[in-house]
Amino acid sequence: MDPNEQSVEPETPAEQPTPPAPPAQTTPDAPDEETMAQIRQRRMAKLGVVPSSSVASPTLAKPETSSAATAAAAVTPSSPKATDQGRIEAEKGKRTQITISPAPGAPKSVAGTPPPQKHTPAKDEPIEDYTNRLLETVFRISADPSRTVGSIGHKLTFLPALSEDLANDGLPLKLSLDRVEEAIMEGATAFPRDKPLLDYLLPCWKRVTRALKVLRGPAPQKEEILKEAKRLCFSNCIFALTMPELFGREPNPHHDTLVPYVLRRVESEDGLCMDFFTEAMGRLDDDDSIVTLFTRAMVDISSKLSTLSMNDDYKPYVNALTTYSRFPPLLRALAGHSSFQMAQSAPGIEKNTLLGPFFRLSPLQPEVTTVFFAGPRTMEKGSVQTSQTALQMSLSAHQTDLRTIINAFIRASPEAKNRVLDWFAYIMNVNHKRRALQVDPREVSSDGFMMNVTVVLDFLCEPFMDNTFSKVGRIDVNYFRRSPRLDIKEETKLNADQSESDEFYATKIDGESNFITEVFFLTLAAHHYGSEAANSKMKNLEKDIKFYEKNLAMIEAERPKLANRPDQLRILEQTLQRHTAVLERAMALRFAIEGVLLDQKMQSRSLQFMRYVTVWLLRVASQTEYTPDKPLRLPLPASLPEAFSCLPEYALQDIVDNFKFVFRYIPQVIISAVGDEMVALCITFLESSEYIRNPYLKSSLVSLLFHGTWPAYHLSKGILGDLLTNTRFANDYLLHAIMKFYIECESTGASSQFYDKFNIRYEIFQIIKCIWVNDVYKNELVQSSKTNRSFFVRFVNMLMNDATYVLDEGLSKFPKIHDMQMKLKDRTLSQQDREKIEEELRTAEGQATSFMQLVNETVGMMKLFTTTLSEAFTMPEIVHRLAGMLDYNLEILTGPKSKSLKVENADKYYFNPRTLLPEIVDIYLNLGSSSAFIEAVAADGRSYKPSTMASAGQILRGKQMKELPELLAWDALCKKFEAAKEIIDQADIDFDDAPPEFEDPIMGMLMTDPVILPSKHVVDRSTIVQHLLSDPKDPYTRQPMTIDDVVPDTALRSQIEAWKLERTAQLKAKVAGDAMDTTE
């Protein structure tokens, strides 16, 4: 190897352009002889030195063992104050000698500094000359006072003590391998005390490493010399950090550390290169201080990083741990360190555990959000999106580094893997409060930290999440019964109360959970406490921002009033600045969270995981080996599996919330991510709704299907539209499932259940309209009306109840709106009264808008159903209520009250009489072929009027709302109503004076079929039938009951019939008598 071929290295440790002064004046004092001997003993013990005999040969004696090699490096005192005899005795037997004869014609010492020139050695350069030149180049030192510049122009540090020893021994003033240890020590001792010693030794290491790499051809002697120099150089690097007193230095925590070198890039000249790491790993078994050095360095790096944010220069810290991740022994040591996992509060994990500061880095850190979104109040939408894209790129790169680091820890050893899993589990267990209604940020980990944890766990799941779900069977449902890492004791369960779940989980199962199971449940919890909690926070921030903006507007409104009060105006300005700062921080954080959650790659991984959770839940619930390519039969088994019932509710909630978010904000991601399993999940738990206890969670399944029908890109029926319309599973079970839940949502148990049901039913209507193009569903509805009559009657009754209520509520708001609009036109109205009326108007308009949307959907659904199966809507249990509802609303739309419905800009309330009236008429026409319906309309004494029917026809003609054939059909139907009315009037007999015990106590009419309820009260059968359609409970005791629970009161019925016969006979006799008197 030719050292002259190397480039000039960094500045030498010390310059000596002239022959040195006496050693005692130029070399710092080294420890006294006794101290030096102690240090040598410690050092030799650490190296495991065993003395070996000298080899009197110019060829280097190759050590038989590493200990023998180390013996060749036994040290001698570098201080000239030690006596020659003491130095000789100290060195005797402690180093391998290499006898080197002076080369012929060796140059004499010349005063002054020779001009630098490149030295080109001869091919037959003696090994001793090569050794001297190599060691000078590597260590930048010289034993010859005349050589202050190396062969390639680098400055050399003269070693007076070594030079004196060589002179006393009668040896040439050249560096040799048997004296290199003391040379290194003397050179290092001369290095400036205000600089870390590694600043000198690390470049030496890099030079000798490069020299060894470029060594040409077979040169065993040179290779041995280089390897020994490399070994000694590395050893001294470690000693410089662990025993600085060996070099005459006091311990200095700022110098005796690897931290600054690890933080520099491995490619940099002053940073730890990969070769240094590799060498260190090879020495671990021989020197246990090495792993301690590296571990302590990373602990310090982590501590420093805990004070930084993404606004700072954080990348070197992450790169340092990424470099560590290439060396399993270092990771094993880090995982075993006490700081890896310590008992900390939720916020403390981020700063006080080893990995915490790395996961804490995020664009969601408050000080970072205001940089990405400076001046958020004035940012345009395009600027916000650009900043969010930049945010996503920064975060994605950081999360990729975190993934690399965690993967390396997991692969380092089983112990390291378990420590990592323990750390993740601890994070989940102390962050339950992140899902509280009111979250105190001082008690939980930050959103950025939790999002990073969630994403990294998603990464860990990728290897087992294949599209065929081949490994889903390895997820063990008994995880929570095998001493789990996660604590779900306080979590709400899918269908079990606290005592039931405690009893179930009290029975433990032997064995350990596999890695897939561990990561699966950790990731599921991470989504609950991480990404979904961040989503909730974003929604809350939207509300907070509106509140802050309202407050700012109120403060601004006070400014004119204080124009002449400078003191109060100054206070107002200060208040305004504080409120503005709070608003801008909230807006910046809201934009940042949105940017994080809208990352398409992140959401794609998340959805893939949720697909796995979906399939796994269906397998557990159905107790089958379900996958999307296998059939699933409904309903589910009547007996609920305890393992399913006792699962945390968030197992299903996470799926629903994640998919709903993506449907709403980034549907392009879900096009390739959704499969049949999503439709199967919703239909299954709507059909077998008893498997889920939380009514809100069940209604969320409807919302998920509804969101899937929103038009998206080229999909006019949405992402799920085709699956809902055409797949076999949906064709078999969807319609019945949503009709069933349409009935169930009448009573959800929530305080807002009355209004919740209308939102749920609105979504159900949209799903039905989406799938109605497939005749399979029409035929299924017809079949249901025949084979499951009671179920169908309850469904239609609910439909009519809704139509009656929403029509009445919606249309009743318009007279009020009309009156308030007229009042606001009065210019004499005071400001206070005007503001009060405007507030009332906004409330009424909001209510009218909501109700009219429901009106349009409900009437549209009735038209849809009556077109398909008119016979089912004319059943005795239904027909009279249906006729009464239609007559009442037709009268409102076409009778005298219709004038009060006129309001300004009616379209903004979704009120369009030109659409609503024809649809109601269509329902009449759809049912017009039924004599039962015609009789029911005619018998409606409250709302049916021939004049109303005629008025409706005139409006239809005048406004051209119907074609001629439909108008003619309407006229014919109206005549049928009139004819039926005449017949009813002729047969009508007055029973108004019936005894009270013969009248229905609820409806006040004469009973025809009295029955005894379980509560022993007597009502007419028709009354209780109508009641049970809406509410399956005894109207007096509120206990559950069915129509089969009533007992006919035959005795009372006989009495009523006898009374009616008697009353009829009396009336007939009276009529006959009156006729005779008239004749006379």
Side-chain angles (χ1 to χ4, degrees):
M1 175 287 189
D2 186 356
N4 290 326
E5 294 178 2
Q6 299 185 56
S7 61
V8 178
E9 299 294 338
E11 184 177 350
T12 58
E15 297 185 18
Q16 293 191 4
T18 58
Q25 299 176 7
T26 60
T27 307
D29 289 344
D32 58 35
E33 185 173 357
E34 181 180 357
T35 303
M36 198 66 197
Q38 294 174 355
I39 294 173
R40 277 199 309 277
Q41 291 175 3
R42 286 165 49 198
R43 185 172 186 178
M44 294 170 65
K46 184 179 288 291
L47 291 171
V49 171
V50 179
S52 61
S53 60
S54 300
V55 180
S57 169
T59 303
L60 178 67
K62 184 174 181 179
E64 295 180 359
T65 65
S66 59
S67 297
T70 305
V75 301
T76 63
S78 60
S79 171
K81 293 182 179 180
T83 63
D84 292 344
Q85 182 64 32
R87 183 168 56 251
I88 293 171
E89 290 178 358
E91 294 173 0
K92 191 177 296 180
K94 292 184 180 179
R95 62 179 177 235
T96 301
Q97 296 288 343
I98 299 179
T99 303
I100 302 175
S101 302
K108 305 294 183 182
S109 298
V110 180
T113 304
Q117 58 182 2
K118 185 173 181 179
H119 173 69
T120 305
K123 291 184 179 180
D124 56 350
E125 178 185 24
I127 193 65
E128 55 269 20
D129 288 352
Y130 170 83
T131 303
N132 177 65
R133 182 166 51 83
L134 170 72
L135 297 179
E136 282 184 349
T137 302
V138 169
F139 295 105
R140 301 293 197 249
I141 54 178
S142 171
D144 187 345
S146 66
R147 286 188 56 78
T148 57
V149 177
S151 58
I152 58 175
H154 49 269
K155 298 177 181 179
L156 303 178
T157 298
F158 174 62
L159 306 180
L162 178 62
S163 180
E164 181 182 352
D165 287 349
L166 292 174
N168 291 337
D169 291 346
L171 298 175
L173 301 182
K174 294 183 179 181
L175 300 176
S176 59
L177 204 58
D178 61 333
R179 295 294 185 95
V180 70
E181 178 71 8
E182 57 189 282
I184 294 173
M185 178 177 291
E186 186 176 352
T189 305
F191 193 70
R193 301 293 182 90
D194 61 340
K195 296 181 181 180
L197 196 50
L198 211 57
D199 283 357
Y200 165 63
L201 292 170
L202 186 59
C204 297
W205 155 265
K206 293 195 172 187
R207 287 191 287 269
V208 72
T209 302
R210 284 197 295 266
L212 189 59
K213 286 182 178 179
V214 299
L215 183 64
R216 298 174 182 175
Q221 285 185 311
K222 294 181 180 181
E223 183 178 359
E224 287 297 336
I225 294 169
L226 283 167
K227 286 182 177 180
E228 184 66 8
K230 175 183 175 184
R231 185 187 68 80
L232 294 174
C233 186
F234 182 86
S235 296
N236 279 278
C237 287
I238 300 303
F239 292 138
L241 298 171
T242 57
M243 293 191 294
E245 61 271 20
L246 189 61
F247 303 94
R249 292 178 172 234
E250 293 295 326
N252 184 337
H254 299 292
H255 290 177
D256 309 335
T257 176
L258 285 172
V259 170
Y261 308 96
V262 174
L263 288 178
R264 295 165 191 155
R265 298 184 64 84
V266 293
E267 301 87 359
S268 65
E269 191 61 35
D270 54 353
L272 293 191
C273 60
M274 298 306 295
D275 291 323
F276 191 92
F277 278 95
T278 302
E279 181 75 13
M281 297 306 99
R283 301 272 193 113
L284 292 182
D285 292 338
D286 299 328
D287 190 348
D288 56 4
S289 67
I290 294 177
V291 73
T292 303
L293 275 175
F294 279 91
T295 302
R296 186 179 66 198
M298 186 51 61
V299 171
D300 291 343
I301 287 172
S302 175
S303 179
K304 291 183 178 181
L305 182 60
S306 68
T307 64
L308 306 182
S309 72
M310 269 196 165
N311 288 343
D312 303 305
D313 186 20
Y314 70 91
K315 195 64 178 175
Y317 297 81
V318 179
N319 289 340
L321 187 54
T322 303
T323 302
Y324 270 48
S325 68
R326 302 184 184 184
F327 303 99
L330 294 183
L331 298 183
R332 290 194 290 269
L334 290 177
H337 194 270
S338 60
S339 68
F340 190 87
Q341 182 179 344
M342 306 188 316
Q344 294 287 333
S345 63
I349 296 174
E350 300 184 36
K351 292 191 173 185
N352 301 324
T353 61
L354 191 138
L355 293 177
F358 296 90
F359 278 79
R360 177 175 173 267
L361 291 169
S362 170
L364 299 185
Q365 291 173 287
E367 61 270 36
V368 182
T369 60
T370 53
V371 173
F372 274 104
F373 304 97
R377 297 179 69 193
T378 57
M379 288 185 73
E380 296 180 354
K381 185 176 181 180
S383 299
V384 171
Q385 291 176 344
T386 300
S387 296
Q388 288 176 336
T389 300
L391 174 152
Q392 291 169 0
M393 293 174 64
S394 298
L395 183 58
S396 178
H398 178 57
Q399 289 171 343
T400 300
D401 289 336
L402 295 178
R403 172 194 188 181
T404 300
I405 291 165
I406 292 299
N407 267 327
F409 268 104
I410 287 174
R411 290 178 169 85
S413 70
E415 293 77 15
K417 175 183 70 177
N418 287 327
R419 293 279 285 175
V420 170
L421 295 179
D422 288 341
W423 184 71
F424 280 131
Y426 188 78
I427 293 170
M428 308 307 158
N429 293 336
V430 298
N431 273 292
H432 288 193
K433 291 184 179 180
R434 279 181 57 82
R435 297 315 305 267
L437 293 177
Q438 298 293 331
V439 180
D440 186 346
R442 296 168 299 181
E443 297 180 352
V444 297
S445 297
S446 66
D447 293 298
F449 176 81
M450 293 302 295
M451 281 300 305
N452 286 336
V453 168
T454 304
V455 169
V456 169
L457 284 169
D458 274 340
F459 276 130
L460 291 182
C461 293
E462 278 189 321
F464 65 80
M465 292 193 305
D466 60 315
N467 288 326
T468 62
F469 302 92
S470 62
K471 297 181 181 178
V472 71
R474 297 186 62 186
I475 302 171
D476 186 4
V477 71
N478 290 313
Y479 168 76
F480 291 109
R481 303 175 75 184
R482 297 184 190 275
S483 301
R485 288 181 164 90
L486 286 173
D487 178 14
I488 62 167
K489 181 178 177 62
E490 302 301 324
E491 289 291 340
T492 304
K493 307 306 187 294
L494 278 172
N495 204 345
D497 57 30
Q498 189 70 51
S499 60
E500 291 171 338
S501 64
D502 288 348
E503 181 180 355
F504 176 71
Y505 289 124
T507 305
K508 298 297 181 182
I509 294 180
D510 295 332
E512 295 183 356
S513 298
N514 58 56
F515 180 71
I516 290 179
T517 299
E518 293 275 10
V519 174
F520 175 83
F521 283 103
L522 283 172
T523 308
L524 190 58
H527 277 277
H528 183 60
Y529 303 118
S531 57
E532 297 309 322
N535 188 10
S536 297
K537 184 168 185 176
M538 186 175 70
K539 295 176 183 176
N540 292 332
L541 280 171
E542 292 172 354
K543 298 176 183 177
D544 292 344
I545 289 169
K546 291 180 181 178
F547 175 77
Y548 298 148
E549 289 175 335
K550 183 179 179 180
N551 279 354
L552 276 176
M554 292 173 61
I555 296 172
E556 285 283 3
E558 295 297 314
R559 186 192 297 273
K561 302 177 183 180
L562 304 177
N564 300 322
R565 303 175 188 175
D567 292 341
Q568 294 186 18
L569 186 61
R570 185 171 58 256
I571 295 173
L572 182 140
E573 291 290 352
Q574 294 172 352
T575 304
L576 195 62
Q577 289 178 2
R578 288 197 305 271
H579 280 69
T580 301
V582 171
L583 172 61
E584 292 196 340
R585 285 196 298 269
M587 293 183 70
L589 181 56
R590 192 257 178 213
F591 286 146
I593 294 176
E594 183 182 57
V596 171
L597 294 177
L598 291 182
D599 187 299
Q600 295 187 21
K601 292 182 179 179
M602 181 272 289
Q603 288 292 359
S604 294
R605 287 190 299 271
S606 177
L607 292 180
Q608 180 67 5
F609 175 74
M610 292 305 166
R611 290 185 65 195
Y612 250 72
V613 181
T614 297
V615 172
W616 181 77
L617 275 179
L618 290 172
R619 291 165 70 97
V620 175
S622 64
Q623 303 174 63
T624 66
E625 299 297 315
Y626 167 78
T627 52
D629 59 334
K630 297 178 182 178
L632 182 64
R633 297 188 63 82
L634 298 182
L636 295 176
S639 177
L640 276 67
E642 279 191 286
F644 176 85
S645 298
C646 294
L647 285 172
E649 192 176 82
Y650 64 68
L652 180 57
Q653 187 71 59
D654 285 358
I655 300 172
V656 175
D657 289 345
N658 198 171
F659 272 91
K660 283 170 64 176
F661 177 86
V662 176
F663 271 130
R664 180 176 180 181
Y665 293 104
I666 41 177
Q668 63 271 27
V669 172
I670 210 169
I671 292 176
S672 59
V674 73
D676 293 353
E677 70 282 344
M678 182 53 54
V679 172
L681 178 83
C682 296
I683 295 176
T684 297
F685 292 120
L686 288 173
E687 177 64 34
S688 297
S689 57
E690 65 276 9
Y691 271 61
I692 310 297
R693 178 169 294 186
N694 186 345
Y696 171 77
L697 187 52
K698 288 187 280 191
S699 66
S700 295
L701 298 173
V702 174
S703 297
L704 189 55
L705 293 177
F706 166 58
H707 289 168
T709 63
W710 289 356
Y713 304 99
H714 62 286
L715 303 172
S716 60
K717 293 192 293 184
I719 309 297
L720 297 181
D722 288 336
L723 293 175
L724 296 176
T725 304
N726 301 316
T727 59
R728 177 64 180 274
F729 185 80
N731 292 163
D732 289 343
Y733 302 112
L734 174 60
L735 186 61
H736 185 270
I738 57 179
M739 288 173 64
K740 180 173 181 284
F741 194 68
Y742 186 101
I743 297 170
E744 287 183 8
C745 71
E746 179 74 17
S747 177
T748 63
S751 58
S752 58
Q753 67 178 21
F754 182 77
Y755 297 101
D756 290 343
K757 70 179 181 182
F758 291 116
N759 294 327
I760 297 168
R761 289 169 178 173
Y762 173 84
E763 294 177 348
I764 289 175
F765 291 154
Q766 306 310 308
I767 298 169
I768 292 175
K769 286 198 297 186
C770 175
I771 65 174
W772 205 245
V773 294
N774 190 340
D775 290 340
V776 169
Y777 291 107
K778 299 175 184 177
N779 297 332
E780 186 179 338
L781 188 64
V782 173
Q783 189 65 25
S784 175
S785 67
K786 295 177 180 177
T787 59
N788 196 351
R789 182 186 179 98
S790 61
F791 170 81
F792 182 79
V793 168
R794 287 194 67 195
F795 171 75
V796 174
N797 183 72
M798 296 291 182
L799 190 63
M800 288 191 299
N801 285 348
D802 289 351
T804 301
Y805 178 80
V806 297
L807 275 165
D808 187 47
E809 287 293 314
L811 297 179
S812 67
K813 295 294 182 293
F814 292 112
K816 298 177 182 178
I817 293 174
H818 175 78
D819 291 343
M820 286 185 281
Q821 288 176 342
M822 293 299 102
K823 289 179 180 179
L824 289 174
K825 291 181 179 180
D826 184 358
R827 296 184 178 181
T828 64
L829 203 63
S830 68
Q831 183 63 27
Q832 183 177 358
D833 290 341
R834 182 175 295 276
E835 291 178 357
K836 181 179 179 182
I837 293 173
E838 287 176 346
E839 182 66 28
E840 292 176 354
L841 178 60
R842 282 193 292 270
T843 302
E845 286 180 335
Q847 293 174 341
T849 301
S850 298
F851 281 121
M852 286 312 302
Q853 286 181 285
L854 290 169
V855 165
N856 296 333
E857 295 301 328
T858 306
V859 172
M861 196 55 49
M862 292 188 69
K863 175 186 173 182
L864 202 68
F865 285 166
T866 55
T867 302
T868 302
L869 62 167
S870 58
E871 298 86 355
F873 281 82
T874 57
M875 294 178 182
E877 301 95 325
I878 298 172
V879 68
H880 287 280
R881 292 197 65 234
L882 177 59
M885 182 271 291
L886 293 173
D887 293 343
Y888 176 75
N889 289 289
L890 189 66
E891 182 182 15
I892 291 178
L893 289 174
T894 63
K897 296 181 180 179
S898 62
K899 296 180 180 179
S900 64
L901 301 179
K902 294 181 180 180
V903 293
E904 297 174 1
N905 195 14
D907 288 343
K908 79 173 185 178
Y909 311 115
Y910 298 94
F911 176 45
N912 187 355
R914 295 180 64 87
T915 300
L916 185 58
L917 177 59
E919 287 195 335
I920 291 178
V921 169
D922 284 340
I923 297 173
Y924 275 102
L925 294 175
N926 289 340
L927 303 176
S929 60
S930 169
S931 58
F933 176 70
I934 293 173
E935 290 176 2
V937 171
D940 178 18
R942 184 186 67 160
S943 302
Y944 170 71
K945 296 181 182 68
S947 59
T948 300
M949 299 294 176
S951 177
Q954 291 173 2
I955 294 172
L956 293 172
R957 281 187 174 83
K959 303 292 184 180
Q960 298 181 349
M961 298 179 184
K962 287 290 184 183
E963 298 294 334
L964 182 59
E966 293 175 303
L967 292 172
L968 295 176
W970 175 251
D971 292 340
L973 182 58
C974 290
K975 290 179 181 179
K976 291 180 180 179
F977 292 150
E978 293 176 13
K981 176 65 173 173
E982 291 177 1
I983 296 173
I984 291 172
D985 288 344
Q986 291 175 2
D988 192 18
I989 298 178
D990 188 5
F991 293 126
D992 288 343
D993 57 347
E997 63 271 20
F998 292 172
E999 292 180 347
D1000 184 278
I1002 295 176
M1003 301 300 294
M1005 65 179 185
L1006 181 66
M1007 292 186 287
T1008 58
D1009 186 6
V1011 293
I1012 303 172
L1013 304 181
S1015 60
K1016 306 305 179 183
H1017 289 81
V1018 178
V1019 298
D1020 192 73
R1021 182 181 293 274
S1022 63
T1023 299
I1024 192 61
V1025 167
Q1026 291 293 330
H1027 171 79
L1028 293 177
L1029 289 174
S1030 303
D1031 185 4
K1033 295 183 178 68
D1034 188 309
Y1036 292 96
T1037 63
R1038 307 301 301 153
Q1039 295 299 312
M1041 66 165 290
T1042 67
I1043 193 62
D1044 296 331
D1045 295 328
V1046 303
V1047 177
D1049 193 340
T1050 54
L1052 181 57
R1053 179 174 182 173
S1054 299
Q1055 294 177 30
I1056 293 172
E1057 289 177 350
W1059 180 84
K1060 288 171 64 178
L1061 290 172
E1062 181 182 352
R1063 181 63 176 157
T1064 301
Q1066 290 175 356
L1067 290 173
K1068 288 182 178 180
K1070 182 178 179 182
V1071 170
D1074 291 342
M1076 290 175 61
D1077 291 341
T1078 302
T1079 302
E1080 292 177 354

